[in-house]
Amino acid sequence: MLKKIILSLFCLLPLACNSATVGITSDADYYMFYGSFNNTRTPFNIGINDITAGSPYQYHFNVAGIEMSDISNFVSGNTALLYLNLQRFRVPGTVVPGYQGPPTFSLLTSGVTFTLKIVALTDSFDNIQYASSPLDWYRNNLLNQPTVASVDFTEAGWKAIDVTSAFDQWKTGSLSNNGLGLIGTYSSITGTTAQIYSTETESAFSPYVNIIPEPNIFKYIVSALVVALIIRQFVK
């Protein structure tokens, strides 16, 4: 009985912070080799960076960008967490030299380790489709930008990714808010594409950003002391 009372009292502690959600206004992917831009695809695709001359997958990969127009809920000291939901991995079959038809592939929800790099874009992702050299745009605005976060996907489902450093730059004005760029940097199976639920899906699966304010430590300590005093009365 005492255990139940203690747990109930801790549940009554006022929250040190109340999170706020930042909606993602758009997401899109771009297939480097064919130059196809898609902002209505679900899921959107992220491939493994491959610009190595002579590689079987040279330029055959997707990059992606996400945009959020209103970041007013974020202030200095907050934490910004980007939530992405992986639907599946698209794993290619054996590459046959000289074969010109559509590649074979398998769709897996586990069995692959896929590393995703996230950067703060220095230009709107929309502009990759209009660039005179999309490859140069990609190098300058995505590939060679400092890493905001790096995360491994090993199975389908949600990942929370700390992108606070990007929000800090946008809020201080040291960098314009052009959104986030996403690129694959490693896969345990060569040529894999990560397929992530987009804003085109129902909200239960679509990406979003959660803003967590800096905790009010003083309020939490006072509340904890009050609970401790109440518990003490029960254990005398």
Side-chain angles (χ1 to χ4, degrees):
M1 180 65 182
L2 178 59
K3 181 178 179 181
K4 290 182 178 180
I5 293 173
I6 292 172
L7 289 174
S8 297
L9 288 170
F10 272 105
C11 289
L12 292 175
L13 277 173
L15 292 176
C17 57
N18 296 304
S19 62
T21 300
V22 173
I24 291 175
T25 56
S26 67
D27 51 53
D29 62 29
Y30 183 85
Y31 187 22
M32 293 301 302
F33 188 84
Y34 290 114
S36 58
F37 182 90
N38 197 318
N39 62 354
T40 59
R41 188 200 311 273
T42 181
F44 65 81
N45 297 321
I46 304 170
I48 298 298
N49 169 56
D50 193 343
I51 54 177
T52 305
S55 166
Y57 298 102
Q58 183 184 0
Y59 307 131
H60 281 277
F61 61 94
N62 288 74
V63 294
I66 59 176
E67 178 181 296
M68 58 222 74
S69 59
D70 183 4
I71 62 169
S72 59
N73 287 328
F74 181 87
V75 297
S76 178
N78 288 179
T79 297
L81 297 177
L82 169 66
Y83 285 81
L84 297 177
N85 192 342
L86 176 73
Q87 182 182 29
R88 61 199 177 192
F89 300 106
R90 187 179 187 274
V91 179
T94 302
V95 176
V96 179
Y99 176 67
Q100 297 298 314
T104 60
F105 61 88
S106 300
L107 298 175
L108 306 177
T109 56
S110 62
V112 181
T113 297
F114 186 99
T115 303
L116 177 67
K117 171 185 174 180
I118 299 176
V119 307
L121 291 169
T122 53
D123 187 26
S124 170
F125 189 74
D126 286 353
N127 289 333
I128 191 172
Q129 62 184 316
Y130 306 118
S132 56
S133 173
L135 183 59
D136 286 344
W137 187 101
Y138 162 71
R139 285 194 178 105
N140 295 332
N141 297 288
L142 201 166
L143 179 63
N144 294 328
Q145 291 304 311
T147 301
V148 167
S150 181
V151 62
D152 289 340
F153 282 93
T154 57
E155 61 184 358
W158 287 101
K159 280 284 187 180
I161 308 163
D162 191 337
V163 293
T164 305
S165 63
F167 274 71
D168 280 333
Q169 292 180 83
W170 297 337
K171 203 67 178 183
T172 61
S174 59
L175 185 67
S176 297
N177 176 11
N178 291 300
L180 300 169
L182 302 90
I183 179 177
T185 59
Y186 168 79
S187 176
S188 57
I189 301 179
T190 303
T192 296
T193 295
Q195 299 188 318
I196 293 175
Y197 286 108
S198 75
T199 53
E200 301 300 312
T201 62
E202 58 183 284
S203 59
F205 299 98
S206 60
Y208 66 95
V209 174
N210 207 31
I211 302 299
I212 304 173
E214 185 177 16
N216 187 329
I217 300 299
F218 179 76
K219 182 187 292 185
Y220 182 84
I221 291 173
V222 171
S223 301
L225 287 173
V226 171
V227 170
L229 289 172
I230 295 172
I231 292 173
R232 186 179 180 185
Q233 299 303 312
F234 284 98
V235 296
K236 281 185 176 181

